[in-house]
Amino acid sequence: MKVLRYIACSLAMFSRVPIPRSLNLSEDDMRYILAAFPLVGVLIGVVALIWWWLCGICEFSAFLRAVGFVGVPFLVAGAIHMDGFVDVCDAISSHASPAKKRKILADPHVGAFAIICTVLYLLIYCAIVFELDITLSTVGLIVCIYVLERVLSGMCALMFPKSSDKGMLATFNRESSERSSMMVLAIVFIVCVVCMVLLDWVAAIFVIIAAAIAVVYLYITARKQFGGMSGDLSGFFLQIAELAMLIALLVAQKVVFFL
């Protein structure tokens, strides 16, 4: 029963899945919220798989299929992570001090650079998916990407130094069981990697390299630009990692094609 409450808490926080109020979730239920985070990726993957199937049945165009893949993560998870991406883009574009950038993260207003970066992000995302050869194996790899990015986001949130002892990320860390959560995330990470290798080992190598680059970029950005991790940076990382791994998947397909 406790496991179900942990899962419900994670779904309530990181997805649009309706959770009954009768559960009366409390702070104690947040202990494994990051460990259950990858399940949101599984849900997104299931919806993406259904969308791919419908596109084949209805003979939708490749463009409409790509737009659907762009929208599926927002349909299931909402815009909580994109909100972090937008705020971080605004802060980085200010070229201000780390303290000033942290204030920008807390500012509810949206700047011009954030809008520009968001539009570019969505256009690039749609273009990448449009160019992909979307087979069942490819969809399986995309599902793994949805899960893997959340595994890495949870790990980074637990391991990387924080910019403040306040905010959503600090709350997660205070309430979470760090050792157990890391063990669960590590197991899911291994399962993801094995699944990707079985689906397409060449693509798996490219995707894992892209994920590693995204993690290093997050660490450098968090330390130098903001003085540590925050909830917004976790959302920023998730969006950047997802796009980077999709680009890596496309590159892998092109490399195999030319070989």
Side-chain angles (χ1 to χ4, degrees):
M1 183 61 183
K2 282 189 176 182
V3 174
L4 293 177
R5 292 182 67 85
Y6 297 145
I7 293 173
C9 191
S10 188
L11 293 177
M13 180 62 66
F14 298 119
S15 78
R16 300 180 66 182
V17 176
I19 303 299
R21 292 180 179 270
S22 58
L23 287 178
N24 295 319
L25 298 174
S26 63
E27 288 190 356
D28 183 62
D29 297 317
M30 296 175 64
R31 290 181 60 194
Y32 296 98
I33 189 171
L34 293 176
F37 188 25
L39 287 175
V40 178
V42 175
L43 288 179
I44 296 173
V46 170
V47 176
L49 185 60
I50 294 172
W51 172 247
W52 171 78
W53 176 75
L54 284 174
C55 288
I57 294 296
C58 301
E59 298 184 351
F60 290 153
S61 67
F63 178 72
L64 180 57
R65 182 182 62 194
V67 172
F69 271 98
V70 174
V72 163
F74 297 105
L75 176 67
V76 179
I80 182 173
H81 308 302
M82 182 56 76
D83 177 69
F85 173 83
V86 169
D87 288 342
V88 171
C89 287
D90 240 352
I92 291 176
S93 301
S94 70
H95 300 287
S97 65
K100 177 63 176 177
K101 287 174 181 173
R102 289 195 293 270
K103 289 184 179 180
I104 293 174
L105 292 181
D107 190 342
H109 298 91
V110 178
F113 286 107
I115 296 173
I116 293 170
C117 289
T118 302
V119 172
L120 285 175
Y121 179 94
L122 295 175
L123 285 174
I124 294 171
Y125 195 117
C126 187
I128 294 299
V129 179
F130 180 81
E131 290 294 327
L132 282 172
D133 180 18
I134 307 282
T135 62
L136 180 58
S137 175
T138 305
V139 177
L141 288 166
I142 293 174
V143 173
C144 290
I145 287 173
Y146 292 145
V147 178
L148 183 59
E149 67 193 15
R150 285 163 175 80
V151 170
L152 295 175
S153 180
M155 287 181 165
C156 292
L158 291 170
M159 292 189 302
F160 289 0
K162 312 302 179 292
S163 62
S164 172
D165 58 355
K166 299 178 181 179
M168 185 182 297
L169 187 61
T171 301
F172 291 162
N173 278 266
R174 282 196 302 270
E175 301 297 335
S176 68
S177 179
E178 184 173 334
R179 190 177 216 177
S180 299
S181 295
M182 282 296 295
M183 287 181 62
V184 172
L185 292 172
I187 292 171
V188 178
F189 175 84
I190 293 172
V191 172
C192 269
V193 172
V194 170
C195 288
M196 286 193 295
V197 170
L198 292 175
L199 288 167
D200 187 332
W201 67 270
V202 175
I205 292 173
F206 278 82
V207 169
I208 292 169
I209 291 173
I213 292 172
V215 170
V216 172
Y217 173 70
L218 171 67
Y219 182 80
I220 294 173
T221 302
R223 288 294 298 268
K224 289 190 174 182
Q225 302 267 16
F226 299 92
M229 278 290 292
S230 67
D232 284 319
L233 278 164
S234 291
F236 173 78
F237 165 75
L238 195 142
Q239 298 294 160
I240 290 296
E242 184 172 321
L243 185 61
M245 287 189 279
L246 286 174
I247 292 173
L249 180 56
L250 177 61
V251 172
Q253 288 188 352
K254 297 302 181 183
V255 168
V256 172
F257 175 78
F258 285 114
L259 290 177

